[in-house]
Amino acid sequence: MTEEYALIVKAADCMGCTACEVACKQEHDIPVGPRWIKVTADTPKEIDSRLQLRYSVNHCLHCTNPGCLAVCPSNAITKRNDGIVLIDPALCTGCLSCVDGCPIGVMQFDKDKALAEKCDLCVARHDRGLNPACVDACPTRCIYYGYTYEIFDKAGKPELLSTYKK
């Protein structure tokens, strides 16, 4: 079995600056509206006897068994051997099955193009040996990218494996 790539965010270290969102939009020329990576503030919670504000960062997880791929009738969604899940815009019919089939609700639909879109882990950068744009833009370095076993070790949270690789 080939090792798969993944991107995880250590939410405890995220300061909600949205630099990852901006970098993604710039890298992919995404207009106002759609966000392939989305930062949202959670409700303040008491953590370690202090009230703290945490952020959620949602993006395509490039699932082990992608729900979007399973329901795509035009075979526009594929999964590479390295785990990166991609959408071929030439094959996408805009039927929205993948949007409904995404278990975490991160699939986007561009109404102007009538195409499904999502995080592609900056595959063009990846293929040149570079990190995704969001990783390099993050000032707190809370976004980890690489082989699953490497990033879960770096993030110090091996239990994330069950959360992030569905």
Side-chain angles (χ1 to χ4, degrees):
M1 179 177 168
T2 305
E3 271 300 322
E4 294 186 357
Y5 283 88
L7 184 133
I8 64 166
V9 179
K10 192 172 180 182
D13 294 339
C14 177
M15 64 181 186
C17 71
T18 69
C20 56
E21 287 187 15
V22 173
C24 179
K25 283 185 168 288
Q26 289 176 336
E27 180 69 25
H28 297 285
D29 197 26
I30 300 170
V32 172
R35 293 185 282 177
W36 292 2
I37 186 166
K38 182 179 180 182
V39 179
T40 54
D42 288 338
T43 305
K45 295 182 172 79
E46 188 174 322
I47 302 171
D48 297 329
S49 300
R50 296 184 359 220
L51 196 59
Q52 296 184 24
L53 180 62
R54 295 284 169 94
Y55 297 90
S56 294
V57 183
N58 298 311
H59 56 86
C60 177
L61 300 178
H62 298 267
C63 301
T64 299
N65 297 305
C68 60
L69 186 152
V71 298
C72 179
S74 64
N75 296 315
I77 301 174
T78 57
K79 182 173 178 163
R80 295 181 3 161
N81 287 337
D82 59 9
I84 299 174
V85 178
L86 299 173
I87 303 171
D88 183 341
L91 295 176
C92 180
T93 63
C95 71
L96 299 174
S97 293
C98 59
V99 174
D100 294 335
C102 177
I104 57 172
V106 296
M107 186 69 72
Q108 303 282 307
F109 186 74
D110 185 317
K111 291 178 184 174
D112 293 334
K113 297 182 204 171
L115 296 173
E117 297 179 326
K118 66 171 200 65
C119 167
D120 64 2
L121 290 179
C122 290
V123 71
R125 291 173 58 93
H126 168 86
D127 289 346
R128 294 190 323 265
L130 301 172
N131 285 326
C134 62
V135 174
D136 289 343
C138 180
T140 63
R141 300 292 179 233
C142 69
I143 304 175
Y144 297 87
Y145 178 70
Y147 289 126
T148 53
Y149 70 90
E150 291 174 339
I151 61 172
F152 293 126
D153 188 48
K154 284 180 192 174
K157 302 279 184 187
E159 66 273 13
L160 288 173
L161 184 60
S162 62
T163 303
Y164 281 94
K165 292 304 283 187
K166 296 185 186 284

